[in-house]
Amino acid sequence: MADQPARNLETSDAPGFGVAGSKPGPVVLLGPPGAGKGTQAKKIVAHYGVPQISTGDLLRENVRRATELGRKARAIMDRGDLVRDELMYDIVADRLNQADCRPGFILDGFPRTVAQAEWLDGHLRKQFFEKMPEFCQPIVVQLEVDYNQLLLRLAGRRSCPTCGTPYNVHFQPPRQDELCDRDGSGLVSRADDREEVVRERLVAYDRQTRPLVDHYRAKGMLVPVNADCAVGEVTAQIF
Ligand code: AP5
């Protein structure tokens, strides 16, 4: 990736970066479970109109449809471990191959291991940089949040099973306890937000994903953001 246009991370002055309606190139959101990757990805999507690629959502969709990948991933996700690297590459490659990714994309939850980061480097080189020399290097936004705040956010997360509206009983509560404001459905929690699974997910993050901080810092791509504040303040820092 050395020959790609670098981003100026001091001023964010890469062509079009930070300007509504222009395209941000590849953005990786890096952070532990509950850091706000999904929440912030949606803000960036709304601003730039590029797709959010959440490997967690892709896997949950495969579990729901009981595909071969879904059957392999289900037990691993239920106990809070990471799905094997080799199982991740095809779904990410397929998604990045879709036309809406040409102007850029937000990776939410990928890469999560050094091997995945190295795979992504090679994939971007072959599939993007060699075909589109103007494509920028990725920017890696590292969302930093206090451990106890992560536990609170994950324990409080709910969503409506009917319309999908997200809630958080601590930070974004519904008007009526545990009921969707829009259609009155009873809210549900994610299966892996149980306390014992959350602890395993945080251990997996520390062991397998945190090393990516050094990996991307050494490449000059890392932008640390204090994500221990209100959603809008985090978004403002990212922009
Ligand atoms: P995934 O779905 O990616 O889960 P995760 O990384 O654990 O992240 P979360 O979705 O829990 O949190 P988030 O950072 O997106 O926070 P959110 O915005 O939702 O992965 C699930 C599983 O799939 C993994 O455990 C693994 O098994 C597997 N997997 C996925 N990708 C993989 C890969 N690449 N390799 C191998 N396995 C993979 O926010 C959380 C809550 O906090 C919400 O309620 C939100 O409203 C609230 N909140 C957000 N920001 C704020 C704020 N600033 N203030 C207050 N509340 C906030």
Side-chain angles (χ1 to χ4, degrees), residues 32-39 55-56 59-60 77 81-83 88 109-110 112 116 153-154 157 167-168 171-172 190 192 201 227 229-231 234:
K37 301 182 294 297
T39 302
T55 44
L59 287 168
R60 279 184 289 276
M77 294 170 77
D81 288 339
L82 294 189
V83 175
M88 300 305 301
F110 188 93
R112 258 176 147 103
Q116 290 182 12
R153 288 186 189 181
L154 293 169
R157 175 163 52 189
Y167 295 90
N168 191 295
F171 303 107
Q172 194 191 345
R190 233 168 74 176
D192 60 352
R201 287 162 62 200
C229 44
V231 170
V234 181

Side-chain angles (χ1 to χ4, degrees), residues 65 97 163 226 235:
R65 289 192 287 118
N97 203 24
C163 68
N226 172 16
T235 310

